[in-house]
Amino acid sequence: MATLLSTFMPGRRAGVAALAAALVLTVAPAAVALPAAAASDPLLRYHHQHLTWKSCLRGPDDAMGKELEQAGARCADVTVPLDYGRPHGRTVTVAISRIRATDGAHRVGALLLNGGGPGGQTIGDPPWVRQAMKDVGARYDIVGVDPRFVGRSTPLDCHWPTGSAFRSAGVDRAGFERTAAFSAELARRCRTYAGELLPYATTRDTARDMDVVRAALGERRISYLGYSYGTYLGQVYTSMFPGRTDRVVLDGVISPDRYGPRLLRGVEAANRHALEGWASWAAARDATYGLGRTRGRVLAAVDRVQAAAARSPLRIGAHRVDEHVVPVLVLNGLSQDNASAYGDLAQGVRDLLRAADGRPVATPSPWLADALGFELTGAESAYGSVQTSILCGDVPAPRDPEVYWRDVQRARDRDPLFGPVANSINPCAYWDAPRENPTTIRADLPALLVNATGDPRTTYEGAEAVRRRWPSSRLVTLRGADQHAVFGVYGSACADAAVDRYLATGRLPERDVTCEARPR
């Protein structure tokens, strides 16, 4: 799974294999005998297409394919219309993987997955989800779907020099102007290299694709497990296609009222809380990381890095790290509440601090090297391209740069490090208007919602808002963890058991469930 910026997917793997090149198809799905109603429903040929299941392995270096192969998964390509308003026109493919149910006598159906993003791959997720589901996993066909333009599906790539459109607005007006120019250039590249696809890179079209996948699998209804952005996709799908879902789990919940190109607004306090928690952890391990013996000293070290980067870019290996990137690196290091992630961030900050103090860092720590490669090279241009295209294509953004400047200035007073990131201008300010209005989310759904109280990405308030919107739902709260994504990721036996019980029985808990975080 990946995260938006990384941020909106749990545990993004930096340095994933380069996306396989795939041609945009212009042919119809494989021919099958269609009912007479096909003449009145042009989507029937997609719903009744024949899927060719094959090995997921794409060569000896395909680690994800090997993992899928070992888990017994098979892969297929589903043909969908590029434009659902013109279903007889150009088509694209959506890549899926499936681990079939082994308990046929108690089979529930297909469980479709989305690991978040937007822009993150999900086709590789069935093996670990199957493991997280324990015995109940045998009762489901577990299906990973790379959404349109993502991963092994038909690609969209704007040829960016970065994997993320998100940057801090910097420390002054000149920095803000640099960020605005950077954002405008990213938008220009997307119009140049992917202009024909941009109008169709939306959550609504992704939901339409999901329904084609459902039908092509021969399922009347599907169950769904979505993380982070995948929780918004799940809300859109259930609203657009009522009655076509069975059991729905949304983990790391986005409130639809907060979703859009400025999705990070409002996460400053949660990230500050997570940073302080990490700083206390690092201070207790000063002998290992040398960042300071108290939380205050560790936080001061982070501030020293940002101040130095604002004076002159820091030299880290082949990279130059400036005031626009340092806060994003720190933000990216705060999505997982565990010793491994904390240690990665501590090593990264140690390298940044050395550079800030004028000491050369020829070889950064593995986490920092991956993060810098993601932010400062085009190695994962496709990820950022799709992520931004969907955010900009779903909801309109303010066009006037002064709106962002005023918001940055107000936010800077509250949090000088994270405020200028969460409120900064981005390419959506220079994007064409969305082709469709956002989906009106249905008033109620009996779903299981899961969220940690300290989630730095999809804040707990979002889960509470959806819980109020859907009174027939239930909320599983992981209390005391600064964690993004819980089920099968954090390691809470309490939370995992609540999800597994629901997937096994289809019955929601009688009341909301609260689980306690493990001690740090």
Side-chain angles (χ1 to χ4, degrees):
M1 292 180 292
T3 60
L4 176 73
L5 312 162
S6 340
T7 346
F8 275 91
M9 297 178 59
R12 181 183 184 284
R13 299 174 188 151
V16 296
L19 300 178
L23 297 177
V24 175
L25 302 180
T26 56
V27 298
V32 294
L34 296 180
S40 60
D41 185 355
L43 292 183
L44 279 184
R45 66 183 181 125
Y46 298 100
H47 289 171
H48 291 274
Q49 66 184 286
H50 173 74
L51 299 183
T52 301
W53 295 96
K54 56 187 182 295
S55 170
C56 300
L57 191 60
R58 292 190 167 187
D61 297 326
D62 180 9
M64 182 176 69
K66 288 179 182 178
E67 187 175 355
L68 287 165
E69 193 91 350
Q70 291 169 358
R74 302 289 284 175
C75 288
D77 292 322
V78 181
T79 303
V80 299
L82 173 66
D83 178 358
Y84 278 84
R86 301 177 59 193
H88 296 295
R90 190 176 178 182
T91 63
V92 294
T93 58
V94 171
I96 66 174
S97 63
R98 179 176 68 180
I99 300 176
R100 301 208 70 161
T102 54
D103 185 358
H106 302 97
R107 181 181 181 275
V108 176
L111 175 69
L112 267 63
L113 311 177
N114 184 276
Q121 282 195 269
T122 302
I123 197 172
D125 289 350
W128 73 260
V129 171
R130 171 67 179 81
Q131 185 176 11
M133 292 172 68
K134 301 182 175 63
D135 292 343
V136 71
R139 299 174 57 189
Y140 285 88
D141 289 352
I142 304 175
V143 181
V145 182
D146 275 355
R148 57 171 50 204
F149 310 133
V150 171
R152 296 189 176 189
S153 299
T154 298
L156 183 159
D157 191 345
C158 299
H159 300 281
W160 283 357
T162 178
S164 171
F166 291 89
R167 291 290 189 272
S168 170
V171 300
D172 55 21
R173 181 72 193 209
F176 174 80
E177 295 294 346
R178 286 193 296 271
T179 306
F182 173 77
S183 298
E185 171 60 13
L186 296 185
R188 185 197 67 79
R189 288 182 180 232
C190 281
R191 286 193 298 271
T192 300
Y193 294 106
E196 292 183 348
L197 302 180
L198 295 184
Y200 312 105
T202 69
T203 299
R204 286 178 63 82
D205 279 330
T206 300
R208 293 176 176 116
D209 293 346
M210 281 176 56
D211 203 55
V212 171
V213 171
R214 173 201 60 77
L217 291 172
E219 302 288 343
R220 186 175 64 87
R221 297 194 300 170
I222 55 170
S223 293
Y224 179 77
L225 170 61
Y227 291 89
S228 195
Y229 161 77
T231 68
Y232 178 70
L233 174 60
Q235 293 172 64
V236 170
Y237 179 79
T238 56
S239 299
M240 291 178 66
F241 300 98
R244 295 186 187 174
T245 53
D246 183 4
R247 302 165 198 190
V248 175
V249 180
L250 306 181
D251 189 330
V253 186
I254 296 175
S255 170
D257 299 331
R258 298 296 302 275
Y259 175 79
R262 308 187 74 190
L263 190 57
L264 289 182
R265 293 185 74 199
V267 304
E268 299 96 318
N271 278 275
R272 176 58 56 176
H273 184 271
L275 181 64
E276 291 172 349
W278 165 80
S280 296
W281 182 93
R285 294 158 181 81
D286 181 59
T288 301
Y289 301 109
L291 298 178
R293 295 182 180 179
T294 67
R295 183 176 77 177
R297 289 182 178 179
V298 175
L299 294 173
V302 174
D303 290 339
R304 195 158 86 244
V305 169
Q306 174 66 350
R311 291 191 298 271
S312 179
L314 310 180
R315 294 175 176 266
I316 306 284
H319 301 292
R320 301 296 177 266
V321 185
D322 63 18
E323 65 192 272
H324 305 290
V325 174
V326 166
V328 177
L329 295 173
V330 176
L331 192 78
N332 279 344
L334 292 173
S335 68
Q336 301 296 295
D337 190 339
N338 60 62
S340 177
Y342 279 6
D344 285 344
L345 179 57
Q347 289 178 352
V349 171
R350 182 180 60 190
D351 287 343
L352 291 167
L353 189 60
R354 286 173 176 169
D357 291 340
R359 291 176 285 172
V361 179
T363 305
S365 66
W367 175 83
L368 183 58
D370 284 344
L372 292 174
F374 177 71
E375 295 291 344
L376 297 177
T377 77
E380 296 210 41
S381 165
Y383 177 86
S385 300
V386 177
Q387 179 178 91
T388 304
S389 297
I390 293 173
L391 290 171
C392 300
D394 280 348
V395 180
R399 311 285 292 183
D400 184 359
E402 295 305 314
V403 171
Y404 300 90
W405 172 246
R406 289 193 295 268
D407 288 346
V408 164
Q409 290 298 88
R410 284 192 290 265
R412 193 193 309 279
D413 292 338
R414 297 190 298 270
D415 195 309
L417 185 68
F418 295 129
V421 179
N423 295 272
S424 187
I425 195 167
N426 64 60
C428 298
Y430 306 96
W431 217 262
D432 290 341
R435 184 171 52 93
E436 299 183 87
N437 292 325
T439 304
T440 299
I441 301 302
R442 61 183 293 173
D444 197 10
L445 182 76
L448 188 64
L449 315 175
V450 186
N451 226 93
T453 54
D455 189 330
R457 298 293 176 267
T458 53
T459 61
Y460 187 64
E461 290 76 16
E464 291 180 310
V466 174
R467 174 70 176 87
R468 290 191 296 270
R469 178 187 294 267
W470 289 352
S472 63
S473 68
R474 296 293 182 270
L475 174 59
V476 177
T477 296
L478 178 63
R479 185 163 59 190
D482 299 328
Q483 171 71 26
H484 183 51
V486 176
F487 175 66
V489 179
Y490 176 76
S492 167
C494 169
D496 288 359
V499 175
D500 284 334
R501 280 194 299 270
Y502 169 59
L503 291 174
T505 64
R507 295 191 298 273
L508 290 166
E510 292 185 4
R511 58 185 63 86
D512 292 342
V513 176
T514 298
C515 303
E516 299 296 334
R518 58 174 177 261
R520 288 195 178 99

